[in-house]
């Protein structure tokens, strides 16, 4: 349902910081990577957790998929920081 809504409503954005998106992306990694790529301009990762050496699963997943070539460096950068910088005007 989420992809259909995002295709229909171009102003809809997604936050990946909760555990649910990670579970959904891992359920079907091939489609998960395609989803991240298709909606790369409207997805965000944000957290207020600051624990050295302890990372939410989504961080590990994004780094792994970037390193394995499942998502590009551009997709990774947009989701990890550039989309938030743009949205917040930083």
């Amino acid at each position: 349902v989420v992809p259909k809504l995002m295709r229909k409503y171009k102003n809809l954005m997604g936050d990946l910081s909760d555990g649910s998106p990670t579970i959904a992306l891992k359920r079907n990694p091939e489609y998960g990577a395609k989803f991240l790529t298709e909606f790369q301009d409207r997805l965000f990762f944000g957290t207020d957790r600051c624990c050295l050496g302890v990372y939410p699963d989504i961080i590990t997943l994004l780094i792994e998929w970037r390193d394995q070539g499942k998502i590009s460096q551009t997709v990774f950068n947009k989701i990890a920081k550039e989309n938030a910088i743009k949205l917040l005007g930083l």
Side-chain angles (χ1 to χ4, degrees), residues 2-14 38-44 83 86-87:
V2 172
K4 288 179 184 179
L5 290 171
M6 290 189 78
R7 287 182 193 115
K8 184 174 182 177
Y9 301 103
K10 300 301 180 187
N11 64 336
L12 185 62
M13 299 178 183
E38 181 177 353
F39 301 110
Q40 63 184 289
D41 295 318
R42 296 188 282 148
L43 297 173
F44 303 85
N83 291 341
K86 183 178 176 182
L87 178 70

Side-chain angles (χ1 to χ4, degrees), residues 1-84:
V1 172
V2 172
K4 288 179 184 179
L5 290 171
M6 290 189 78
R7 287 182 193 115
K8 184 174 182 177
Y9 301 103
K10 300 301 180 187
N11 64 336
L12 185 62
M13 299 178 183
D15 172 29
L16 303 174
S17 61
D18 182 52
S20 299
T22 306
I23 293 167
L25 293 168
K26 284 182 169 182
R27 187 177 304 127
N28 185 340
E30 183 179 329
Y31 180 75
K34 288 179 183 179
F35 174 85
L36 294 177
T37 300
E38 181 177 353
F39 301 110
Q40 63 184 289
D41 295 318
R42 296 188 282 148
L43 297 173
F44 303 85
F45 168 75
T47 184
D48 57 359
R49 279 179 42 185
C50 184
C51 300
L52 292 176
V54 179
Y55 304 109
D57 290 341
I58 190 67
I59 293 174
T60 304
L61 182 66
L62 291 172
I63 291 170
E64 284 177 7
W65 284 7
R66 179 202 58 200
D67 292 349
Q68 295 169 358
K70 291 181 180 178
I71 62 172
S72 69
Q73 183 68 48
T74 300
V75 170
F76 178 86
N77 289 345
K78 286 180 179 182
I79 294 170
K81 65 180 179 179
E82 291 172 1
N83 291 341

